[in-house]
Amino acid sequence: MTANVRGTMRKRGRWKFLSWLLPHSILVVFSAVILLPLLWLLRVALTDKSTAYKIPPEWGQASLDNFIEIFTGYPFFSYFLNSVTVALGATVIALPLAVGMAYAFARYNTGGLSLRLFVLSSQMLPPVILVLPLFTLFLKASLINTLPGLILAHMTLSLPFLAWLLVAFFDGEVATLEQAARTDGATRFQALVRITLPVAAPGILAAGLLAFLLSWNEFLYALILSGPHTNTLPVGLSSFQTHRGVDIALLSAATICAILPAMVLLPFLRRYLIRGLSLGALK
Amino acid sequence: MSVATADGLTLAGRDRRFGLLLTAPGLLSLLIVITFPLFFTLFTSVHDYTLLTPNYDTFVGLENYEEALDEEYLPGSLWVTTKFVLASIVIEFIIGFAVALSLHATRRFGSIYYLILLAPLLINPVVVGLLWRMLLHSELGIINYAIGLVGISPVSWLGDADIAFWTVVLTDIWHQVSFMAILLVAGLAALPREPYEAARMDGASTISCFIHITLPLMRPVIAVAILLRMIFAIKTFDIVFIMTKGGPGTATDLISYYIYRAAFFGLDIGRASAMAAGLLVIIVALTAYLYRYMNSLK
């Protein structure tokens, strides 16, 4: 082997090492920036209240006291329940409506491009635009500070989101299966209920979970349209900071509870997340 | 050729009827919960409707619009919003692309990195605001303590107007950069291999492959990702409400927060509705552009 060839090989080896090192370094740094704040939040939540404030930080005995206290000493259970009710209500009502729309878009192109644009624009609306008329209308209709009112408001998010997202789940293979069933004499309705819905069920379920999280995380509607007895978790959290100064240990415990459902669902949703976030533009 | 059936409809006619039947309930609901309130916004915007006189007795024509345009702080808020949207998108794009390329080049631990990457996207924005408020607290925050260890004096992250703007931008980036990254990763995964193999045969370097192959092929994905992020960034409200309430002064007074204040602190729903109508035009225009672009790709 000549010195020249050996030199090239060493260069190639170095290059290979670098092209391994660089991506991993970027990803490790990036992951640390995301994870460290969340781990710190968990640490504060598990620390007793006075130690949590100490700078430089001290490591006390880990305990679940803060988690117990937010549910016993504060109305967090009620916030939790309201959030679940509203998110579940909005999703369960919107899902069948959206399935019908999305299926009609995908199979029969009902309403054409203009109806689809209408659905997409509805989804893009800044909440602050809709919250003004909803507030005045709800005042008139006595829907302010009620859970049904809030469910209605959250449907303005979940219905267009689901209708747009689900279209993609009715295209492709399902369409072929359905065509076969139709040729065998199934009616349009039978083909939809017996073939398409079961095949598309996992996608529909995942979309439903995303819609649930969408309204679980919603803040502005709940801030304006809910009252003391109907406050959802984000509103409860935002007002928690002003009650009696900021008790960071309790607040951290409460925020952990608020993000827990999303973190538990994350591994199940990862396959569908891109489609959901890019509004079906990417798979 | 169309075939008439028992009920006198052609097959295509029956298809259309079935489609309409399925669409009707959802469409009706959308009209009730979205279109009707939107028209109500326009209706409110031409009336003198305030929370002190909550009625539609006084028609004022375009007066609310004129007043809104004359407002001293509206141009400032629009400027802050523009700066916020541009700054966050540019930085997110750069970081997002770096992360996407790294993830694309990595096999080991790829799925772990990916799961971590996804995490912030599902976190409640209120929680993100509270979390960073806590970390960035001037005296009790861990960040100021940490930079103190390496000899940097404490920073007033949210108290200084110039710094607070960037603090909010960076917080939003922490929350949303993954969005850009996973869209770009999906785009990279869908790229064809042949152009790269051909280029490698011709002895092209990695960098020139990136500039001459990757970037042009990724254009559609990049455009969609940036447009989506732009629309979402314009809507930003939660972290401003939690972290700064638009302040200090008007340093972080994004347009959504500005309209919210006009309505519920200024108590002038009529004027806020006029501004909301303006924002509506901008968002619908951007969405229509995005939609046309997405359709042109198919």
Side-chain angles (χ1 to χ4, degrees), chain B residues 138-157:
Chain B
S138 320
E139 292 102 47
L140 303 170
I142 186 71
I143 303 270
N144 269 354
Y145 168 73
I147 64 174
L149 292 180
V150 291
I152 304 172
S153 50
V155 177
S156 173
W157 296 103

Side-chain angles (χ1 to χ4, degrees), chain A residues 15 23-24 26-28 30-31 33-35 37-38 40-41 44 53 55-57 97 100-101 103-105 108 110 113 115-137 139-140 152 155-156 159-160 164 182 188-189 192 210 213 216-217 219-220 223-224 234 237-238 241 246 248 251-252 255 258-259 262-263 266-267 269-270 273-274 277-279 281-283, chain B residues 11 14-15 18-20 22-23 25-27 29-31 33-38 40-41 49 51 56 95 98-99 102-103 105-106 108-109 111 113-127 130-135 139-142 145 174 177-179 182-183 186 206 221 224 228 231-232 235 237-238 241-242 256 259-260 263-264 269 272-273 276 279-280 283 287-288 290-291 294-295:
Chain A
W15 173 243
H24 277 285
I26 291 177
L27 290 169
V28 166
F30 185 81
S31 302
V33 171
I34 289 179
L35 280 184
L38 295 173
W40 188 255
L41 189 69
V44 176
Y53 278 108
I55 288 287
L97 298 171
M101 281 185 102
Y103 179 77
F105 288 167
Y108 304 111
T110 308
L113 295 178
L115 189 54
R116 290 198 202 193
L117 176 60
F118 169 67
V119 172
L120 184 64
S121 315
S122 307
Q123 193 193 338
M124 294 302 197
L125 284 181
V128 75
I129 294 180
L130 270 183
V131 82
L132 303 174
L134 289 180
F135 177 72
T136 49
L137 288 168
L139 268 183
K140 270 204 161 55
L152 218 55
M155 276 178 64
T156 66
L159 185 52
W164 183 264
R182 292 277 286 131
R188 290 173 182 77
F189 186 71
L192 169 61
L210 283 175
L213 289 178
W216 177 266
N217 286 344
F219 177 59
L220 183 55
L223 177 72
I224 306 289
L237 286 173
S238 77
Q241 55 182 328
V246 189
I248 57 169
L251 187 62
S252 299
T255 52
I259 59 178
M263 293 302 111
L266 180 60
L269 291 176
R270 56 174 293 178
L273 211 51
I274 292 183
L277 292 169
S278 70
L279 307 179
L282 298 166
K283 280 177 196 159
Chain B
L11 274 178
R14 286 181 141 196
D15 278 351
F18 190 58
L20 281 174
L22 287 173
T23 312
L27 183 60
S29 314
L30 275 182
L31 291 175
V33 298
I34 293 181
T35 313
F36 175 63
L38 278 185
F40 207 70
T41 301
Y49 185 108
L51 288 178
Y56 294 90
I95 301 177
V99 170
S102 306
L103 206 55
T106 315
R108 283 190 83 176
F109 310 123
S111 59
Y113 290 135
Y114 193 72
L115 215 54
I116 295 172
L117 181 69
L118 293 180
L121 292 173
L122 293 182
I123 294 181
N124 195 319
V126 169
V127 168
L130 291 170
L131 167 64
W132 283 97
R133 247 179 71 116
M134 178 177 94
L135 298 174
E139 292 102 47
L140 303 170
I142 186 71
Y145 168 73
W174 184 85
V177 67
S178 303
F179 179 87
I182 68 164
L183 259 59
T206 312
V221 177
V224 168
L228 282 171
I231 297 174
F232 293 147
K235 303 202 264 191
F237 173 86
D238 304 5
F241 181 94
I242 297 293
S256 279
I259 296 176
Y260 158 82
F264 299 103
I269 304 252
S273 297
L279 183 58
L280 178 67
I283 293 287
T287 309
L290 168 74
Y291 181 66
M294 275 158 73
N295 279 332

